[in-house]
Amino acid sequence: MKPSMFNCRVSFARMEEGIGPLYPVVDDIVLLQRLLALGVRTIQLRIKDPNEPDLDAMIEEAVASGKTAKAQIFINDHWEKALAAGAYGIHLGQDDLKDADLEAIAQAGVRLGISTRTAQELDLALSIAPSYLAIGHIFPTPTKVMPTPPQGTEQLAKHLKTVDGRFPTVAIGGIDLSVASEVWQTGVDAIAVVRAVTESGDLPSTLQSFSRILTEEARHEHSASV
């Protein structure tokens, strides 16, 4: 029987390079490799279909590409395959936590990111002490069906106070260039984006625009003006 997440007493590896500020979530290896070539250093491969015929190969190629680029590649959900491929990190949702062998993940030195949607889920994730915490969804998003309403930046800021800098934090859900600055001003460590990169018609320009927004200087300038 796998160790329960409630009695897991292991320590997850830290992220040496930090997590942010931009954290794309993609389901395509070619796009992942393009992002790496453009300098992005933290990316999540999220393949939701467990019956994807090329799943093993995609995970292996993502892991290998990350190692070549010395980047931080997280594999969503498929923790056993990620461990077998020697992944840098694994990202799990709340439901996935129930079945994952957290001790095996920790003992392998693999980083763990956990999704949270409510204050209760955040408290549970904090008790597990992962490598980072994802907080969402911040705005409405069509990329997946969500069981909870959007949280907005005010609730995000409250969650960040609960975390109190103990772990890196990622905001996710419906975030694009039009709202990135608003999210960034909450003090979150990284912003996860999906459609903003998967639907971009000019990926280098999109990344440059995010880079201008997601700087400490931009955050400080905003704070000084309010």
Side-chain angles (χ1 to χ4, degrees):
M1 180 179 294
K2 300 183 183 72
S4 165
M5 62 181 172
F6 297 108
N7 60 22
C8 184
R9 293 292 182 268
V10 292
S11 176
F12 291 97
R14 301 296 95 190
M15 301 180 67
E16 300 90 345
E17 303 300 323
I19 192 167
L22 189 68
Y23 184 7
V25 178
V26 302
D27 62 0
D28 178 83
I29 291 296
V30 173
L31 178 56
L32 183 146
Q33 292 171 337
R34 282 192 67 202
L35 288 165
L36 290 174
L38 289 167
V40 179
R41 285 297 170 262
T42 306
I43 307 173
Q44 181 183 136
L45 178 69
R46 184 169 72 182
I47 308 295
K48 301 307 291 183
D49 182 4
N51 298 315
E52 164 61 52
D54 297 325
L55 181 59
D56 287 40
M58 292 176 73
I59 290 174
E60 291 169 2
E61 188 168 359
V63 170
S65 296
K67 289 179 178 179
T68 298
K70 295 182 171 56
Q72 303 175 147
I73 305 298
F74 282 80
I75 306 300
N76 182 285
D77 289 354
H78 307 288
W79 65 271
E80 290 175 297
K81 295 180 185 297
L83 283 182
Y88 173 89
I90 292 169
H91 182 92
L92 297 175
Q94 293 284 318
D95 293 337
D96 304 303
L97 282 173
K98 300 171 185 176
D99 298 320
D101 189 337
L102 299 186
E103 288 192 8
I105 294 171
Q107 289 170 3
V110 176
R111 288 84 184 159
L112 177 67
I114 298 179
S115 292
T116 68
R117 299 166 298 199
T118 65
Q120 292 74 20
E121 291 182 352
L122 183 61
D123 287 341
L124 173 59
L126 286 168
S127 74
I128 296 172
S131 307
Y132 75 81
L133 292 156
I135 302 172
H137 58 301
I138 308 304
F139 301 108
T141 173
T143 60
K144 62 186 296 189
V145 177
M146 303 300 292
T148 55
Q151 300 196 48
T153 53
E154 184 175 343
Q155 186 62 43
L156 170 61
K158 292 179 181 178
H159 287 322
L160 294 177
K161 288 182 179 179
T162 299
V163 178
D164 194 27
R166 287 174 283 174
F167 304 98
T169 51
V170 180
I172 187 169
I175 302 172
D176 57 22
L177 283 167
S178 69
V179 294
S181 179
E182 178 185 354
V183 176
W184 187 238
Q185 303 312 323
T186 64
V188 73
D189 295 305
I191 289 178
V193 293
V194 184
R195 289 178 299 124
V197 294
T198 62
E199 299 179 6
S200 172
D202 186 343
L203 194 56
S205 177
T206 297
L207 295 179
Q208 289 172 5
S209 296
F210 272 113
S211 181
R212 285 193 292 270
I213 294 170
L214 306 181
T215 65
E216 288 305 314
E217 289 79 7
R219 186 141 59 190
H220 294 156
E221 288 173 4
H222 176 87
S223 299
S225 66
V226 295

